[in-house]
């Protein structure tokens, strides 16, 4: 692989950075809200599953 000098590297890096498309403020807020809502839904779901498993284990272990 050919080595580039630091000046060429900086030029290539700047050229690549100009290709980056940053999200708008609205897009960031929407995706953040989606992540928070889904995290809450998943935590409620797993809390329910945990409660069902706990109830089942207590009933099975209570037999002994």
């Amino acid at each position: 692989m050919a080595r580039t000098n630091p000046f060429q590297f900086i030029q290539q890096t700047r050229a690549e950075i100009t290709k980056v498309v940053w999200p708008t403020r609205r897009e960031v807020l929407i995706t953040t809200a989606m992540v928070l809502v889904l995290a809450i839904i998943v935590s409620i779901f797993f809390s329910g599953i945990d409660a069902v498993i706990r109830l089942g284990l207590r009933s099975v272990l209570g037999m002994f």
Side-chain angles (χ1 to χ4, degrees):
M1 184 162 69
R3 296 181 60 123
T4 58
N5 65 26
F7 181 71
Q8 288 175 333
F9 176 76
I10 291 172
Q11 282 181 330
Q12 291 171 0
T13 303
R14 284 187 178 169
E16 289 298 320
I17 288 175
T18 60
K19 296 177 186 178
V20 174
V21 179
W22 295 99
T24 63
R25 179 176 177 85
R26 184 173 186 269
E27 290 172 336
V28 171
L29 292 175
I30 289 172
T31 54
T32 301
M34 288 172 42
V35 167
L36 291 175
V37 168
L38 288 175
I40 290 169
I41 291 171
V42 169
S43 66
I44 291 169
F45 172 76
F46 282 117
S47 294
I49 296 297
D50 183 52
V52 169
I53 292 172
R54 187 177 339 121
L55 179 65
L57 280 174
R58 283 185 180 171
S59 65
V60 169
L61 294 176
M63 293 180 188
F64 296 107

